[in-house]
Amino acid sequence: MNILFWFLKIITYIPIRILYPTIIKGKKNLIKGKCIIVGNHQSNADPILIFTFFWRKMNYLAKKELMNNKLTNWFFKKMGCIAVNRQNVDLSTIKESLKTLKKNKTLVVFPEGGRKEQSFSEDIKNGASMFAIKTNAPVVPMIFVKKPRLFCFNKLIIGEPIYIDSSYNGNTSKENLEELSRIIEDKLIGIKNDYSNKKKKKQ
């Protein structure tokens, strides 16, 4: 048991919920076991909030710059982070991510490849698609409707899981990757649009 992991979850839960008041919608869509969570990435707070809000251990793809010395490398690995070079993803990152999913664990990926000021960028990377096709892991889309800010109410919406079509059969061809990336992109944009439309109707 990772005592440090659960200790940090317990002591940060209430303060984070106060600092970043957030309503979570669609919790039933966050399936148990193996899955890939994909979401928009608007601030450095995003992974901290996801870490705090959910009472399960997740693994995260995190920029390697966070783990550039022995202490931070040890700490973030304890938190379930997998180092990734955002400019040139190396084989060790891919192997570690696939290994995580094959162990029936949850992997959190920000497919935009970095923080975006907009609520969602269409610049979808193929990494999440490759992991999903290789391991047949369902993809769970998740978005913050606004950029997380201190003491500002926000919503985190979890969409329905995307189950991998059997026709892919583990084949990570360019066509398959691009097709699944488009499906993920459409789901994420769809969640945002549905929220915006419902908000307009209430006004």
Side-chain angles (χ1 to χ4, degrees):
M1 181 178 178
N2 190 335
I3 296 175
L4 176 63
F5 179 90
W6 291 109
F7 173 73
L8 287 176
K9 265 194 178 293
I10 292 167
I11 66 169
T12 59
Y13 184 77
I14 293 177
I16 290 293
R17 295 295 280 179
I18 294 172
L19 292 171
Y20 293 92
T22 304
I23 296 172
I24 302 172
K25 297 279 190 177
K27 284 184 179 180
K28 67 180 186 298
N29 293 323
L30 188 55
I31 57 180
K32 294 181 180 180
K34 177 175 66 176
C35 69
I36 302 170
I37 293 175
V38 298
N40 55 341
H41 194 14
Q42 302 173 82
S43 77
N44 285 324
D46 297 338
I48 298 171
L49 299 182
I50 293 173
F51 168 83
T52 306
F53 291 162
F54 300 103
W55 291 96
R56 66 156 79 178
K57 186 169 182 180
M58 300 180 181
N59 295 84
Y60 308 80
L61 284 184
K63 60 184 180 180
K64 70 173 186 177
E65 291 82 358
L66 291 173
M67 301 184 243
N68 56 8
N69 63 61
K70 288 184 178 180
L71 179 60
T72 58
N73 184 58
W74 172 83
F75 175 78
F76 283 109
K77 281 189 175 180
K78 284 289 185 181
M79 295 301 103
C81 294
I82 300 170
V84 58
N85 182 335
R86 292 171 294 172
Q87 277 68 49
N88 184 25
V89 179
D90 59 35
L91 188 59
S92 63
T93 299
I94 295 172
K95 285 183 175 179
E96 186 77 17
S97 300
L98 294 175
K99 184 179 177 182
T100 295
L101 291 166
K102 288 175 181 177
K103 287 183 176 179
N104 211 36
K105 296 181 179 179
T106 302
L107 181 67
V108 179
V109 179
F110 297 108
E112 294 167 308
R115 287 183 293 118
K116 305 290 181 181
E117 292 304 317
Q118 299 176 353
S119 60
F120 187 72
S121 165
E122 295 185 4
D123 181 23
I124 291 291
K125 306 298 181 183
N126 286 338
S129 300
M130 186 267 288
F131 296 145
I133 292 173
K134 281 281 189 184
T135 63
N136 200 35
V139 177
V140 180
M142 176 188 293
I143 71 161
F144 287 96
V145 299
K146 295 185 293 186
K147 181 178 179 178
R149 298 181 189 278
L150 288 172
F151 303 112
C152 292
F153 283 95
N154 203 350
K155 284 188 178 180
L156 176 60
I157 303 177
I158 306 167
E160 294 181 359
I162 303 165
Y163 291 95
I164 307 308
D165 196 305
S166 59
S167 65
Y168 290 139
N169 196 30
N171 182 1
T172 54
S173 65
K174 181 180 178 181
E175 292 77 15
N176 286 349
L177 291 176
E178 290 180 349
E179 180 182 52
L180 183 54
S181 291
R182 281 195 299 272
I183 293 171
I184 295 170
E185 176 183 12
D186 288 345
K187 286 283 188 179
L188 288 164
I189 293 174
I191 293 170
K192 176 62 178 176
N193 289 342
D194 286 346
Y195 170 78
S196 298
N197 292 334
K198 288 177 182 177
K199 189 175 180 182
K200 287 178 182 178
K201 288 179 180 179
K202 289 181 180 179
Q203 292 176 346

